[in-house]
């Protein structure tokens, strides 16, 4: 009896061994098991079911936390980065890219080998061997590409042989992509790319997982795993940028009244699925101006009132889609049904139709409209003759006007004539009373003669208006107006002293002999002397006398 029990136990053990030994793709790649219905109705072209067997002898499986992961790569761990062009409109093509990030000072060379970077030092110091992995030497020594060895190790985890396009021996990594209960295998270098058509992909978020193996003798070693979520939607993915001249911060969705706002619609369509579609843009700006319909992705709109407005955009595109189920049609008699005919009734063939359906995308935003600086202009530039000599500096006054609100700050950037190399940047608060008319004078110094590019901006809390001009500063010479004025000042000063001394001497000599009533002649002479001094002063103060009638309002100087 005991023999019978032993025999039955042996049979059960023998029956169980294949089940324990054979791993399937879903056991290796993911714990998520999609339903059979999803596997059947969401079949991806070129992908295989994860119910297939996995060759664990050639591609070992390590669980998370397995100590063997520490030695899977020389010099550290390899990181895998998975990206995609998600979200994707259903029916379009989505692309996934996996890129390997090697430890510091390691890179892939032109032959697919992993080498140390020249003149790069890591924690372990320089290596005498330039190779981290010299797969070229391995393949030559082991006859890697011989047809006789193809069935042994030049195969994927499911046993399918590697494709052999030109340069296939330089591809030393095996990538296994897994999603929706299906997998795709690819031989590649330090990056791999896979594209799928989303027609049969369910709407909503889905998970993509990738496992990466490297060559290891005549087997393979796992080096990295990565996963990422992608999204398939039936709405057109759109993004709208809003920009406006003089707007200080476009990201706060606050804009200026009486200036056009540029709305630019960006459709996320990396696979060019909509390239042949007719696309319409329907705008409602929320300011009672009505509905605007356009086939252009860019539109300008100007708000003429302050306040808060709700913006709504609908994008419509006709795209290829499934045709609706045709309704039953009545039978059409054929010539054979005429009297005397004996053929049965025949159905008329329905030709294949290329059907299109409408897809929509939506965008909403709430924007704020406020007052701001609408325009700024430099209407005059004047050289300033300083009363004290300045070392090689030339001072220029810029008369500036603006439209809109009164600015709170003024900034200038002085650059070379090409406006590329900045030489100085100066900002000042506008704390002078410019009145209702925006008119002020900005004073700036230029170091040396030459041509300068000057950008001038007036700003407040919501706006920033800019204008630019080229400034030509002439060189100074000994006969410059400033030095002539200084010479005249010295000469007139000496003459004034001489005249004053002579007048005092004459006065002392004749004061006892001139009656008081005749002293008016001295007063007259004094007046003439004052007139002469006033004219002399006018020579020196000519730079401070502004003849421009715009400055009669006494603009502030900054």
């Amino acid at each position: 009896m005991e023999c019978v029990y032993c025999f039955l136990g042996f049979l059960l053990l023998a029956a169980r061994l294949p089940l324990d030994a054979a791993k399937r793709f879903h056991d290796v790649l993911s714990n998520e098991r999609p339903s059979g219905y999803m596997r059947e109705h969401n079949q991806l072209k070129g992908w295989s079911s994860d119910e297939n067997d996995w060759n664990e002898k050639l591609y070992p499986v390590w669980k998370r936390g397995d100590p063997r992961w520490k030695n899977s790569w020389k010099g550290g761990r390899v990181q895998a980065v998975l990206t995609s062009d998600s979200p994707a409109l259903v029916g379009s093509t989505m692309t996934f890219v996996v890129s390997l990030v090697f430890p510091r000072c390691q890179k892939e060379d032109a032959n697919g080998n992993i080498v140390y970077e020249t003149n790069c030092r890591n924690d372990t110091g320089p290596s005498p061997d330039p190779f981290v992995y010299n797969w070229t030497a391995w393949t030559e020594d082991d006859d890697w590409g011989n047809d006789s060895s193809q069935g042994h190790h030049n195969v994927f985890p499911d046993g399918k042989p590697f494709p052999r396009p030109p340069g296939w021996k330089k591809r030393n990594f095996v990538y296994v992509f897994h999603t929706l209960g299906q997998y795709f295998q690819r031989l590649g270098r330090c990056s791999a790319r896979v594209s799928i058509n989303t027609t049969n992909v369910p709407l909503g978020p889905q998970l993509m997982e990738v496992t990466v193996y490297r060559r290891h003798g005549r087997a393979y070693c796992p080096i990295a795993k990565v996963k990422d979520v992608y999204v398939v939607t039936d709405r057109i993915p759109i993004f709208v940028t809003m920009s406006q001249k003089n707007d200080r911060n476009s990201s706060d969705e606050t804009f200026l009244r009486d200036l056009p706002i540029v709305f630019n619609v960006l459709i996320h369509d990396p696979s060019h699925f909509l390239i042949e579609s007719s696309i319409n843009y329907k705008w409602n700006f929320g300011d009672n101006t009505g509905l605007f319909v356009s086939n252009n992705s860019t539109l300008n709109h100007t708000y003429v009132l302050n306040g808060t407005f709700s913006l709504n955009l609908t994008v419509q595109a006709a795209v290829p889609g499934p045709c609706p189920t045709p309704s039953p049609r009545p039978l059409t008699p054929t010539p054979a049904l005429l009297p005397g005919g004996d053929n049965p009734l025949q159905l008329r063939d329905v030709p294949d139709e290329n059907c299109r359906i409408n897809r929509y995308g939506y965008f909403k935003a709430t924007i704020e409209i406020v007052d701001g600086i609408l325009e700024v202009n430099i209407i005059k530039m004047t050289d300033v003759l300083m009363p004290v000599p300045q070392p090689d500096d030339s001072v220029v006054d810029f008369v500036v006007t603006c439209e809109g609100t009164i600015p709170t700050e003024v900034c200038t950037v002085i650059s070379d004539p090409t406006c590329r190399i900045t030489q100085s940047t100066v900002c000042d608060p506008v704390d002078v009373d410019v009145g209702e008319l925006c008119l002020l004078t900005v004073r700036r110094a230029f170091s040396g003669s030459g041509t300068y590019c000057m950008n001038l901006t007036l700003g407040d809390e919501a706006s920033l208006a800019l204008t630019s001009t080229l400034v030509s500063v002439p060189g100074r010479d000994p006969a410059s107006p400033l030095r002539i004025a200084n010479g005249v000042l010295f000469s007139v000063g000496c003459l004034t002293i001489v005249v004053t001394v002579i007048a005092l001497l004459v006065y002392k000599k004749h004061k006892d002999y001139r009656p008081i009533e005749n002293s008016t002649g001295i007063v007259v002479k004094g007046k003439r002397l004052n007139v002469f001094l006033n004219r002399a002063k006018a020579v020196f103060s000519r730079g401070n006398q502004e003849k421009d009638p715009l400055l009669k309002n006494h603009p502030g100087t900054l």
Side-chain angles (χ1 to χ4, degrees), residues 341-358:
D342 57 353
N343 291 336
L345 293 176
Q346 296 180 358
L347 294 177
R348 183 176 60 187
D349 294 335
V350 179
D352 294 334
E353 298 180 0
N354 184 13
C355 298
R356 305 182 73 84
I357 59 175
N358 288 328

Side-chain angles (χ1 to χ4, degrees), residues 460-479:
D460 61 8
E461 184 178 3
S463 57
L464 196 67
L466 167 70
T467 186
S468 299
T469 185
L470 287 177
V471 182
S472 180
V473 178
R476 289 187 175 181
D477 52 46

Side-chain angles (χ1 to χ4, degrees), residues 493-513:
C494 294
L495 180 61
T496 302
I497 294 174
V498 172
V499 173
T500 304
V501 172
I502 294 174
L504 290 175
L505 293 176
V506 173
Y507 175 74
K508 286 183 179 181
K509 183 175 181 180
H510 299 283
K511 67 177 181 178
D512 295 335
Y513 302 96

Side-chain angles (χ1 to χ4, degrees), residues 3-303:
C3 295
V4 174
Y5 289 146
C6 291
F7 180 73
L8 292 176
F10 177 77
L11 292 177
L12 291 175
L13 181 61
R16 182 177 180 81
L17 280 175
L19 296 178
D20 291 340
K23 285 187 177 294
R24 298 185 179 182
F25 272 75
H26 61 73
D27 298 325
V28 176
L29 302 177
S30 175
N31 294 325
E32 299 180 4
R33 298 286 303 275
S35 64
Y37 177 85
M38 178 178 291
R39 237 188 226 100
E40 180 181 354
H41 290 80
N42 302 119
Q43 179 64 38
L44 302 176
K45 184 178 180 180
W47 289 55
S48 305
S49 171
D50 62 4
E51 294 290 339
N52 292 340
D53 291 339
W54 176 282
N55 187 345
E56 189 176 5
K57 182 178 180 180
L58 198 59
Y59 293 86
V61 178
W62 298 345
K63 298 296 184 181
R64 184 185 299 272
D66 193 307
R68 289 176 292 181
W69 281 107
K70 297 181 180 179
N71 299 319
S72 64
W73 190 270
K74 293 180 183 179
R77 290 291 304 271
V78 175
Q79 301 294 327
V81 179
L82 175 61
T83 59
S84 70
D85 47 23
S86 170
L89 182 64
V90 61
S92 67
T93 299
M94 183 184 297
T95 300
F96 300 85
V97 178
V98 181
S99 301
L100 300 181
V101 181
F102 301 117
R104 177 176 167 78
C105 298
Q106 297 182 13
K107 67 176 183 179
E108 185 182 49
D109 68 5
N111 295 317
N113 300 311
I114 308 301
V115 297
Y116 291 102
E117 295 183 11
T118 306
N119 299 327
C120 180
R121 300 182 62 87
N122 55 18
D123 297 335
T124 60
S127 174
D129 186 359
F131 291 96
V132 182
Y133 293 103
N134 188 356
W135 284 308
T136 301
W138 292 1
T139 56
E140 292 176 353
D141 295 341
D142 296 342
D143 295 330
W144 187 273
N146 290 346
D147 293 337
S148 59
S149 62
Q150 179 176 350
H152 295 89
H153 49 261
N154 287 333
V155 295
F156 288 111
D158 62 357
K160 294 180 181 178
F162 290 161
R164 297 194 173 194
W168 72 276
K169 291 183 181 181
K170 299 178 182 180
R171 303 175 185 179
N172 298 295
F173 298 97
V174 175
Y175 298 83
V176 183
F177 295 79
H178 181 245
T179 188
L180 300 175
Q182 302 161 69
Y183 68 89
F184 186 87
Q185 306 164 125
R186 170 141 292 178
L187 192 64
R189 298 185 58 170
C190 60
S191 66
R193 179 187 301 263
V194 168
S195 298
I196 63 173
N197 185 278
T198 60
T199 300
N200 294 329
V201 177
L203 299 180
Q206 307 295 337
L207 184 66
M208 175 66 76
E209 300 171 288
V210 183
T211 302
V212 187
Y213 283 77
R214 67 166 175 86
R215 293 189 190 272
H216 182 67
R218 290 184 174 270
Y220 298 87
C221 176
I223 59 172
K225 287 187 176 183
V226 65
K227 58 185 177 181
D228 192 21
V229 175
Y230 64 95
V231 177
V232 177
T233 176
D234 58 353
R235 291 189 175 185
I236 301 174
I238 62 174
F239 179 75
V240 178
T241 62
M242 297 176 283
S243 60
Q244 184 187 46
K245 177 186 175 182
N246 297 355
D247 180 34
R248 186 154 200 157
N249 183 9
S250 60
S251 62
D252 62 359
E253 296 186 348
T254 298
F255 299 95
L256 309 180
R257 178 171 62 91
D258 294 331
L259 282 181
I261 305 174
V262 180
F263 299 89
N264 186 26
V265 184
L266 305 175
I267 297 180
H268 182 70
D269 184 29
S271 66
H272 306 292
F273 179 62
L274 303 176
I275 192 171
E276 296 183 357
S277 300
S278 175
I279 302 177
N280 292 322
Y281 304 86
K282 301 178 182 179
W283 298 88
N284 187 338
F285 295 99
D287 57 352
N288 297 323
T289 55
L291 182 67
F292 293 86
V293 180
S294 171
N295 58 3
N296 196 327
S297 60
T298 301
L299 186 68
N300 296 349
H301 184 74
T302 302
Y303 287 88

Side-chain angles (χ1 to χ4, degrees), residues 297-344:
S297 60
T298 301
L299 186 68
N300 296 349
H301 184 74
T302 302
Y303 287 88
V304 296
L305 298 175
N306 292 351
T308 303
F309 302 91
S310 296
L311 168 69
N312 289 274
L313 168 66
T314 301
V315 178
Q316 176 183 340
V319 302
C323 295
T325 304
S327 57
R329 297 184 179 182
L331 297 179
T332 303
T334 64
L337 297 179
L338 296 176
D342 57 353
N343 291 336

